[in-house]
Amino acid sequence: MRRTVPMRLGDIMGDWIRSCPNIARKLAEAKVPDVWPQLVGGTVASYTTSIRFERGTMYVHLSSSVVRHEVFMRRAQLTEAVNRAVGVPVVRQIIVK
């Protein structure tokens, strides 16, 4: 008699999420505010007023012009870092406002 190992709920959910790319993308987008402070540091994170997504574009609103310029100059690096951190390529470009 063959004994089967019951699947864990986490495994089932993980398989389901991987099979639905739109859900995986939305979950990855939702993770960005959590990983943002780790990627940019506490000072830049404290000046971040909002982050939103629209068709692969990440809009980052910053309350300091100096910090805005720093993030603007690091856009390409941050795009790669965000995608790597959330595990799904959700960001094609970053617009700094």
Side-chain angles (χ1 to χ4, degrees), residues 32-82:
V32 172
D34 296 332
V35 299
W36 182 252
Q38 298 162 3
L39 298 174
V40 297
T43 303
V44 174
S46 70
Y47 288 103
T48 303
T49 57
S50 70
I51 297 172
R52 73 178 171 88
F53 291 91
E54 191 174 310
R55 292 184 227 127
T57 300
M58 178 176 155
Y59 294 90
V60 179
H61 294 261
L62 300 160
S63 60
S64 165
S65 61
V66 174
V67 174
R68 193 177 308 125
H69 180 71
E70 178 186 337
V71 171
F72 178 83
M73 297 303 289
R74 295 177 49 205
R75 288 175 303 161
Q77 292 170 301
L78 289 170
T79 298
E80 291 175 20
V82 167

Side-chain angles (χ1 to χ4, degrees), residues 4-8 11:
T4 60
V5 177
M7 291 187 73
R8 293 184 10 232
D11 296 335

